[in-house]
Amino acid sequence: AAGVIQSPRHLIKEKRETATLKCYPIPRHDTVYWYQQGPGQDPQFLISFYEKMQSDKGSIPDRFSAQQFSDYHSELNMSSLELGDSALYFCASSFWGAKNIQYFGAGTRLSVL
Amino acid sequence: DAKTTQPNSMESNEEEPVHLPCNHSTISGTDYIHWYRQLPSQGPEYVIHGLTSNVNNRMASLAIAEDRKSSTLILHRATLRDAAVYYCILNTGTASKLTFGTGTRLQVTL
């Protein structure tokens, strides 16, 4: 079965650079979520989209923005990268009527040097 | 978000049952109890969820206390591949964020 696809899997950036992470949800899923997991930490919710509209927002820095496109894929844009942004970024998708069961991608490991 | 409390870690022998407890004394009537697990170097993975009644699926069973203030995830026969961090999460059932607590790190040994 198709799963959530994230790209790239690994990304290395310098401080103050920008990064774009992409997420392709499971077909027919209408909701996308982004989570950040720092080293040795638990995943923390960043932002979510339902039917291309932002549905919820967590502890997402102002330097980050995200959107969901007409084909339901989502992109997380990160600017002015800081060392503390080094983390695993997970995307998850769900179908609105499915009791919020979320399916996660394999993640993008971002390293900021 | 209602808070859950889980032991930091548990150990089990392979092929033995494992009972992972979770306390959620402030659960509301509309909160579903979800369990996810995260294997090393992977994204979280849905395991099971329930509202009031006990639930079974191919991965595990979920036993929910009558007052819903606690629940137990049951792995009937632990294998080495079940070694992971297990998260008990309360969720309203609509498209809302998952709030991960510290979870229980399960270690499975031969």
Side-chain angles (χ1 to χ4, degrees), chain A residues 6 8-12 21 35-44 46 64 76 78 81-90 106-112:
Chain A
Q6 292 188 245
R9 290 294 314 277
H10 303 273
L11 193 57
I12 300 174
L21 279 54
Y35 295 84
Q36 178 191 57
Q37 186 172 25
Q41 298 181 3
D42 303 297
Q44 298 294 315
L46 291 177
F64 293 8
L76 177 65
M78 310 159 72
L81 287 169
E82 302 174 356
L83 296 179
D85 296 329
S86 295
L88 269 167
Y89 290 83
F90 291 107
T108 294
R109 183 176 295 279
L110 173 66
S111 298
V112 181

Side-chain angles (χ1 to χ4, degrees), chain A residues 30-35 44-50 53-58 92-104, chain B residues 1-2 28 30-34 36 46 89-100:
Chain A
D30 48 23
T31 308
V32 168
Y33 314 78
W34 286 96
Y35 295 84
Q44 298 294 315
F45 170 75
L46 291 177
I47 196 167
S48 62
F49 293 87
Y50 166 66
M53 298 289 289
Q54 181 180 308
S55 54
D56 198 0
K57 195 171 181 180
S93 73
S94 71
F95 175 66
W96 183 270
K99 297 293 188 289
N100 200 31
I101 296 171
Q102 297 185 19
Y103 296 87
F104 285 76
Chain B
D1 295 328
S28 73
T30 56
D31 283 336
Y32 284 78
I33 302 160
H34 283 238
Y36 284 76
Y46 166 78
I89 300 171
L90 301 183
N91 202 265
T92 62
T94 56
S96 59
K97 65 189 179 200
L98 297 176
T99 300
F100 290 84

Side-chain angles (χ1 to χ4, degrees), chain B residues 56-76:
Chain B
N56 299 295
N57 67 20
R58 63 174 181 82
M59 289 181 70
S61 296
L62 177 61
I64 302 173
E66 198 169 330
D67 63 4
R68 299 209 328 125
K69 292 181 186 243
S70 65
S71 61
T72 301
L73 178 70
I74 302 165
L75 305 180
H76 295 286

